[in-house]
Amino acid sequence: MEDKTVTGLFDEIKNDVTNYVTNTIGIVKLETYEKASKATAISAYTLFLMGFVFLILVLALFTLGFYLADVFDSNWKGFGVVTLITIVITLVLLLAKKPITNSIINTVIKFLQRKEDEEVNYSTKS
C-alpha cells in the first residue's frame, strides 16, 4: 500500500475540485442551452401562430365591415362601426397593460425556473 504524502493528497483534492467545478460549469452551460433553445422554439411557434391569428382577425373584421355595410346600406357606416369596435378593444388593452405585462413576465419567470420533470434516459443498443 502506498503512503500518501500531504502534497500528494493536496494535489489529488485539487484535481478533484477542479474536475467538479469544470463539470458543474459544463452542466450549467448545457442547461442554459436547453432552456434557450426551448424558449426560441416556443417564441418562433408563437410568432407563427400570431401571424395566422392576425390574418384571421383582419379577414373577420373585413367580413364584419361588409356585413354591417349591408345592414346599414352604407359602406362608411358599416366600416365605421367596425373601426369604433376596434378602437374600444385597443383602449381596453392599453388600460390593462400592466396586468397583461405582469402576467407575461410571471409566465417567463416560471418557465425559466421550472425543473424538468422528465429525465432524459440515454441507453445504448448492445
Side-chain angles (χ1 to χ4, degrees), residues 16-124:
D16 289 343
V17 169
T18 304
N19 288 336
Y20 174 76
V21 170
T22 304
N23 291 339
T24 303
I25 290 172
I27 289 172
V28 169
K29 283 182 181 179
L30 289 175
E31 288 174 352
T32 304
Y33 294 153
E34 179 185 17
K35 290 205 184 259
S37 64
K38 283 184 181 181
T40 303
I42 290 171
S43 298
Y45 175 75
T46 303
L47 187 64
F48 185 70
L49 187 64
M50 286 180 66
F52 277 109
V53 168
F54 177 74
L55 181 64
I56 290 169
L57 182 64
V58 167
L59 293 175
L61 289 175
F62 271 121
T63 303
L64 181 62
F66 282 120
Y67 173 74
L68 291 177
D70 188 44
V71 169
F72 293 132
D73 290 326
S74 173
N75 280 341
W76 71 270
K77 285 181 183 177
F79 282 97
V81 170
V82 171
T83 302
L84 288 175
I85 291 170
T86 306
I87 289 171
V88 168
I89 291 172
T90 303
L91 289 174
V92 168
L93 289 174
L94 287 174
L95 292 174
K97 177 184 175 185
K98 190 168 186 173
I100 292 171
T101 54
N102 286 341
S103 173
I104 292 170
I105 289 170
N106 288 337
T107 303
V108 169
I109 289 172
K110 284 179 186 175
F111 170 76
L112 292 175
Q113 289 182 343
R114 76 182 162 102
K115 298 286 184 190
E116 294 297 324
D117 292 333
E118 67 276 354
E119 289 291 325
V120 178
N121 293 322
Y122 297 104
S123 60
T124 58

